[in-house]
C-alpha cells in the first residue's frame, strides 16, 4: 500500500506542476505589464489566444490531480487509515485539497474575463515627486531625462497592427497624403469618399470632372487611384469582411456625403436611436436602432423587442424593425432602402468614456477623470492642452489636477477654458432642456468634442508627443507630433489613454456620431464629426486622449462601447472626434509640433564664397518627416531676424553676406508658435573677387610724421603697401585695416600704393595716395646754443645733420651767410632767392663755411631743410663773437746818440723807431698804403665780376617766380 501512497503523491505533484506551467507560459509570453487587468498579468493568454500547449498542460494537470485523488482511495485505504489515522488522514486531505485547487485554478484562469478585476482594486503605485500627464507628454522640470525604449513602441505597433515603426510612420505619411487629396476633392461633382488599401489611395466616385482631378493628383501622388462606386453594399472585399450584420443596399439613389445623408436622415427618420452616419469601404453606413444612452435598458435575452429609455424600439437580431419616432416619418430601413450605396447597421450601446472613478490622466473638479490629448498654443502663444469637451461637463469644470501615478493627484495641471460637446454652446441635435432649437439650415447641428485646459502650471512643459505607455509607471513621450491629418478609411491609427494605455487598429469608418449628452434628458443627443475603429481598445477614462497615425494627430478620443449588465463586451469599438474639426472651433489655436534644431551641411568645411548660399537641414528623426511649413529663423547681431523656408526634405538655405570673414549667427526651427530652441552656427565666408582697397588716412593737410596707414578692404585679405613706404597687414572682419610702416621715415610728397590679395584669387586693382609729410628741423652740431667765439679763433664751418637728400638753407641774423637778400623771414624756403645757398644733405650731414667779418656781438643762426618743396620748421641757435684780448707793449732801450744828418735834418720828435740810415727816417705820408689799397680794390672788382657772372647763369637756369 506504500506504492499506492507514493503514486498518489507523484500524480498530485505532477498535476500541480502542469497546472502552474500552463498559466506561467502565458505570463511569460503575454501582455504582462501592458494593462492593469488581472493585476498586470493580462488576460492569461498569448496575444489574446490560448496556445494548444497551454491547454494540454492544464488539462493534463487536472487529470493527474484527479488520478491522485483516486489513488488515495485505493483498496485497503480504510484499513491503513485505521492504523495510522493522523498521517494518512492528513495525506488524504492534502491530496484531495491539491486536486481541488488544481481544478479550481484551471477553471479560474480559463473563465475570468479581462474586466473581472475592478480598477478600484488595483493598488496604486508609489507616488513620484515630478508628475507627468498622459497623452500630451506634460512633464515637470525633474523628468527631462526619462523616456521609454524604442523596443516597447516597436512591439506595441507590431502586436496591434503587424507593422514596424518605420511602416507605421510611412502609413501615417500616406494617410496625410490621402487626407490632403480628400480635402481637394470634396467639392468635385461625383466624389464620394477616400480610403486606403494595400498602400494605395482609392478615391471612390465617378464623373469626368472627378476623373480629371484624380488624374492631376496621380501625377504628383502616384498612389492615388479612382474606383467606381460599388454596385451594392456587399460588393468587394470590404463587404465580404463586414464586421457586423447589416441590411444590404437595394435602392438606386447614390449618397454623396455623410453630411448630406445625415441631414436627410434626421428630416425623414429623426434622431432617436441614431448613432452614426459614416463612410466605410466605398459605401455609407447608418448605425441606428441601438442604445445611445448609458442608462438604457438592454434588450432581453429572449430575442424579442426591447424598449429603450428614449422610446426607441430595437430588435435583438436586426435593425429592420426600427420604426419612426413620429407620425409621418419613415423607418430607418425604409430610408436606407432608397440608396444603392448605404447600408443599415445594428447599433451597440455607446457612451462617452469619462465617467469613471480611477485611472491615469487628470481629475476634473467635477469628478470626471479623463486623459490629456495634444499640447497646443492659444492665440497669444501660451501653452495649452486639448482634451475631450464632455470632460468639462458642459463648462461646469473649472480646474484640472494631474494624476500620476494612477490614483495619485500630482498638482494642478491648469484651468478649463473653452469647451464644446456637440453643437455650438454644447447644444444637442434637437430642442431639449440642454440644447437650442436646431438650425433649419443645419438640422443635424453637427459639432465636435473638444475642451481646452489653459493657464498651465509653471514648471510643466507640455510636449508635442504621445505616450505608448509601454511602462505604466512612466508617461514617456514616445511618438512625436509633426502635424494634423484628417482621418481616412483604412488608415492605421493608435490611441493613447490613461486607462487602456496604448491600442492600435485601422479606421473603419469616417462620419457623424451621436452620443448621449451630459444631462439625463433622452433628447440630449450630441452629434460630432469623427471616425471609428472596431479594433482599437478603449475604456472609461480614456476620453480626451490622442489618436495618431504615424506622427500625425488625427483625433481626440470621445466614446466607446459599453459592456452589458453582466460586464460582457457585446461589440468592441472606439470613436474619436476629428481633430481638424475640433481645431476649427478654436480660432487662433495651434497644435504644438515637434521640431529638431537646424544644422549646417554645406560646404563640408563650412567655408564658402561670399554671395553664395549657406545650406543646412532640419533632421526629421525620430519623426518620419519635418513638420510642414516650418522655417528656420536666422538671427545676426545688429540685424532683423530672417526666416527661410524648410522644404519637404528638411533642407533650407539663404544667401551668405558679401562681406567675407567669419559669419556667426543663431538659427532656430520655427512653425507658428512651435520652437526647436536656438543653436549658434558659423561659417567662413571667402571673397568671390577682390575690389581695390581704400586708404582712409587723411591726405589734405601736411602731416608731422607718417608711421602707419589705415583703410578698408576685403575682410580676411592681405593688404600690401609700396611706393615711398612699405608695410603689410590683414584686413579685419569689419573690413578695416591699419598697417604700421617699416623702413626709413619718409618726408615730403610721400606716394603710397595699396593692393589686397587672397589665396586663389587675383590681386585687386591698386589704390594710390599722396601725403604731405613735413620733415623735422635739422640739427646744428658745430655750434651750441649760447656759445661764445673769439674773433681771432672762429670756426671754419657751420655744420649739422638732417634728412638725407634734403636741401638745407642757413641764415645768420635773417640773411644768408653772404649777406645777400633772401625771399622771406626766418624759416622760409629760399630756393628762389638770388644769393641763398642750398646745401644738399649727404650721408645725414650738412656743412657751410663760417662767414667772415661778422661783427662782434650776438648772432642768430637759422637752419631749415626741405624735401620735395616741403620745408621744415627752423632750427635756431644764438652765439656771440668776442674781441681778442689786447697785446702788451714793452718800451725799447734808448738809441745811441744821433749822428747829425748830412743835410742837418733832425729826426721827428717821438719817433722812437726811426733808427737807421737817414732814408729810413722819411716822414710817413701814407703813400706807401696806396699800392695795398689798389691791390685790394682790384681783387674785389674781380671777385664781384665773377659773382655777377655766376648769378646771371643761375638766373637763366632757375624757373621764373611769380610775384
Amino acid at each position: 500500500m506504500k506504492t499506492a501512497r507514493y503514486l498518489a503523491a507523484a500524480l498530485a505533484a505532477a498535476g500541480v506542476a502542469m497546472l502552474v506551467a500552463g498559466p506561467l507560459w502565458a505570463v511569460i509570453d503575454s501582455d504582462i505589464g501592458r494593462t492593469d487587468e488581472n493585476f498586470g498579468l493580462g488576460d492569461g493568454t498569448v496575444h489574446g489566444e490560448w496556445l494548444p500547449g497551454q491547454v494540454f498542460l492544464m488539462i493534463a494537470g487536472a487529470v493527474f490531480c484527479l488520478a491522485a485523488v483516486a489513488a488515495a482511495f485505493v483498496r485497503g485505504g480504510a484499513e491503513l487509515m485505521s492504523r495510522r489515522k493522523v498521517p494518512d488522514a492528513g495525506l488524504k486531505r492534502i491530496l484531495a485539497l491539491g486536486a481541488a485547487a488544481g481544478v479550481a485554478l484551471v477553471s479560474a484562469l480559463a473563465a475570468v474575463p479581462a474586466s473581472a478585476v475592478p480598477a478600484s482594486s488595483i493598488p496604486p503605485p508609489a507616488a513620484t515627486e515630478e508628475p507627468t500627464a498622459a497623452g500630451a507628454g506634460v512633464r515637470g522640470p525633474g523628468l527631462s531625462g526619462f523616456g521609454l525604449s524604442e523596443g516597447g513602441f516597436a512591439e506595441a505597433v507590431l502586436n496591434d497592427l503587424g507593422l514596424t515603426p518605420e511602416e507605421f510612420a510611412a502609413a501615417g505619411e500616406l494617410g496625410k497624403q490621402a487626407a490632403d487629396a480628400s480635402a481637394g476633392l470634396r467639392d468635385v461633382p461625383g466624389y464620394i469618399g477616400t480610403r486606403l488599401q494595400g498602400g494605395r489611395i482609392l478615391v471612390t466616385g465617378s464623373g469626368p470632372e472627378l476623373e480629371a482631378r484624380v488624374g492631376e493628383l496621380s501625377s504628383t501622388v502616384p498612389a492615388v487611384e479612382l474606383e467606381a462606386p460599388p454596385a451594392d453594399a456587399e460588393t468587394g472585399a470590404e463587404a465580404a469582411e463586414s464586421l457586423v450584420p447589416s441590411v444590404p443596399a437595394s435602392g438606386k439613389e447614390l449618397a454623396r456625403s455623410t453630411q448630406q445623408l445625415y441631414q436627410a436622415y434626421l428630416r425623414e427618420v429623426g434622431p432617436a436611436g441614431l448613432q452614426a452616419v459614416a463612410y466605410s469601404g466605398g459605401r455609407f453606413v447608418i448605425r441606428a436602432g441601438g442604445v445611445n444612452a448609458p442608462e438604457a435598458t438592454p434588450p432581453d435575452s429572449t430575442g424579442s423587442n426591447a424598449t429603450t429609455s428614449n422610446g426607441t424600439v430595437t430588435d435583438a437580431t436586426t435593425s429592420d424593425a426600427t420604426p419612426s419616432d413620429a407620425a409621418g416619418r419613415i423607418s430607418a430601413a425604409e430610408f436606407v432602402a432608397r440608396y444603392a450605396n448605404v447600408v443599415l447597421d445594428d447599433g451597440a450601446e455607446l457612451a462617452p468614456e469619462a465617467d469613471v472613478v480611477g485611472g491615469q490622466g487628470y481629475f476634473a473638479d467635477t469628478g470626471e477623470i479623463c486623459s490629456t490629448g495634444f499640447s497646443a498654443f492659444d492665440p497669444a502663444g501660451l501653452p495649452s492642452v486639448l482634451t475631450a469637451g464632455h470632460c468639462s461637463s458642459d463648462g461646469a469644470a473649472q480646474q484640472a489636477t494631474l494624476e500620476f501615478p494612477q490614483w495619485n493627484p500630482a498638482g494642478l495641471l491648469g484651468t478649463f477654458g473653452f469647451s464644446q460637446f456637440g453643437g455650438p454652446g454644447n447644444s444637442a441635435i434637437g430642442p431639449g432642456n440642454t440644447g437650442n432649437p436646431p438650425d433649419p439650415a443645419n438640422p443635424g447641428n453637427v459639432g465636435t468634442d473638444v475642451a481646452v485646459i489653459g493657464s498651465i502650471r509653471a514648471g510643466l512643459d507640455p510636449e508635442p508627443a504621445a505616450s505608448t505607455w509601454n511602462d505604466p509607471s512612466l508617461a514617456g513621450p514616445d511618438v512625436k507630433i509633426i502635424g494634423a491629418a484628417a482621418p481616412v478609411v483604412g488608415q492605421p491609427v493608435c490611441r493613447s489613454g490613461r486607462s487602456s494605455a496604448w491600442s492600435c487598429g485601422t479606421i473603419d469608418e469616417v462620419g457623424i456620431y451621436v452620443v448621449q449628452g451630459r444631462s439625463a434628458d433622452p433628447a440630449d443627443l450630441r452629434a460630432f464629426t469623427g471616425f471609428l475603429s472596431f479594433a482599437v481598445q478603449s475604456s472609461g477614462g480614456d476620453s480626451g486622449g490622442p489618436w495618431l497615425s504615424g506622427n500625425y494627430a488625427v483625433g481626440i478620443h470621445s466614446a466607446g462601447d459599453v459592456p452589458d449588465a453582466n460586464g460582457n463586451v457585446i461589440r468592441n469599438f472606439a470613436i474619436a472626434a476629428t481633430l481638424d474639426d475640433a481645431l476649427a472651433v478654436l480660432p487662433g489655436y495651434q497644435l504644438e509640433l515637434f521640431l529638431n534644431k537646424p544644422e549646417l551641411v554645406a560646404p563640408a568645411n563650412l567655408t564658402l564664397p561670399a554671395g553664395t548660399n549657406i545650406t543646412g537641414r532640419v533632421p526629421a528623426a525620430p519623426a518620419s518627416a519635418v513638420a510642414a511649413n516650418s522655417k528656420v529663423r536666422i538671427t545676426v547681431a545688429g540685424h532683423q531676424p530672417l526666416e527661410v523656408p524648410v522644404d519637404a526634405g528638411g533642407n533650407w538655405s539663404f544667401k551668405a553676406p558679401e562681406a567675407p570673414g567669419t559669419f556667426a549667427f543663431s538659427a532656430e526651427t520655427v512653425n507658428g508658435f512651435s520652437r526647436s530652441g536656438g543653436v549658434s552656427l558659423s561659417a567662413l565666408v571667402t571673397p568671390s573677387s577682390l575690389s581695390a582697397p581704400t586708404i582712409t588716412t587723411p591726405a589734405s593737410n601736411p602731416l608731422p610724421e607718417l608711421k602707419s596707414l589705415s583703410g578698408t578692404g576685403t575682410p580676411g585679405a592681405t593688404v600690401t603697401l609700396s611706393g615711398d613706404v612699405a608695410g603689410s597687414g590683414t584686413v579685419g572682419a569689419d573690413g578695416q585695416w591699419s598697417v604700421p610702416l617699416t623702413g626709413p621715415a619718409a618726408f615730403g610728397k610721400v606716394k603710397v600704393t595699396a593692393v589686397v590679395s587672397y589665396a586663389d584669387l587675383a590681386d585687386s586693382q591698386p589704390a594710390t595716395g599722396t601725403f604731405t609729410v613735413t620733415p623735422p628741423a635739422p640739427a646744428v652740431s658745430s655750434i651750441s646754443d649760447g656759445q661764445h667765439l673769439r674773433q681771432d679763433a672762429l670756426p671754419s664751418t657751420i655744420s649739422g645733420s638732417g634728412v638725407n637728400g634734403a636741401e638745407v638753407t642757413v641764415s645768420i641774423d635773417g640773411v644768408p651767410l653772404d649777406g645777400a637778400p633772401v625771399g622771406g623771414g626766418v624759416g622760409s624756403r629760399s630756393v628762389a632767392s638770388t644769393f641763398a645757398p642750398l646745401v644738399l644733405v649727404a650721408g645725414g650731414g650738412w656743412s657751410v663755411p663760417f662767414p667772415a667779418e661778422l661783427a662782434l656781438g650776438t648772432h642768430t643762426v637759422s637752419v631749415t631743410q626741405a624735401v620735395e618743396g616741403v620745408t621744415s620748421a627752423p632750427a635756431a641757435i644764438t652765439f656771440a663773437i668776442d674781441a681778442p684780448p689786447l697785446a702788451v707793449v714793452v718800451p725799447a732801450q734808448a738809441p745811441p746818440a744821433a749822428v747829425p744828418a748830412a743835410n742837418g735834418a733832425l729826426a721827428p720828435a717821438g719817433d722812437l723807431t726811426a733808427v737807421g740810415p737817414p732814408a729810413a727816417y722819411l716822414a710817413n705820408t701814407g703813400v706807401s698804403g696806396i699800392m695795398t689799397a689798389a691791390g685790394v680794390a682790384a681783387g674785389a672788382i674781380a671777385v664781384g665780376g665773377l659773382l655777377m657772372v655766376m648769378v646771371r647763369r643761375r638766373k637763366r637756369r632757375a624757373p621764373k617766380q611769380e610775384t
Side-chain angles (χ1 to χ4, degrees), residues 679-709:
V679 59
S680 296
L681 303 173
S682 64
L684 179 61
V685 180
T686 62
S688 55
S689 62
L690 296 176
S691 301
T694 59
I695 302 174
T696 58
T697 301
S700 57
N701 298 318
L703 302 175
E705 59 182 358
L706 189 63
K707 292 185 177 181
S708 64
L709 286 175

Side-chain angles (χ1 to χ4, degrees), residues 150-251:
E150 295 182 1
F153 170 59
E155 183 179 1
V157 175
L158 181 63
N159 290 343
D160 292 343
L161 292 173
L163 301 176
T164 65
E166 293 76 17
E167 290 171 338
F168 179 63
E173 291 292 333
L174 186 66
K176 173 63 174 174
Q177 293 179 353
D180 294 341
S182 177
L185 297 173
R186 192 167 292 127
D187 296 329
V188 178
Y191 173 77
I192 294 178
T194 302
R195 64 191 179 97
L196 297 178
Q197 179 180 338
R200 297 175 299 161
I201 302 174
L202 300 180
V203 178
T204 306
S206 60
E209 292 186 45
L210 183 62
E211 291 179 7
R213 289 294 298 276
V214 172
E216 295 175 4
L217 278 175
S218 62
S219 62
T220 56
V221 185
V224 174
E225 298 179 15
L226 180 65
E227 67 171 0
D232 57 64
E234 296 302 320
T235 300
E238 292 76 22
E241 299 174 358
S242 178
L243 298 174
V244 294
S246 60
V247 178
S250 58

Side-chain angles (χ1 to χ4, degrees), residues 1 3-9 11 66-75 95:
M1 303 313 288
T3 301
R5 183 177 60 186
Y6 293 144
L7 176 62
L11 289 173
L66 293 175
V69 173
F73 290 95
V74 293
R75 186 177 55 184
L95 294 177

Side-chain angles (χ1 to χ4, degrees), residues 807-811 816 818 820-825 827-839 864 866 869-871 950-963:
E807 297 175 340
V808 177
T809 299
V810 181
S811 300
D818 57 3
V822 295
S828 64
R829 182 82 187 274
S830 20
V831 174
S833 300
T834 303
F835 298 105
L838 298 176
V839 180
T864 62
V870 181
T871 305
M950 292 176 63
V951 170
R952 288 181 182 231
R953 287 182 179 178
R954 189 179 183 97
K955 289 181 67 176
R956 282 196 297 268
R957 289 197 304 267
K960 187 178 180 180
Q961 300 290 324
E962 292 183 4
T963 60

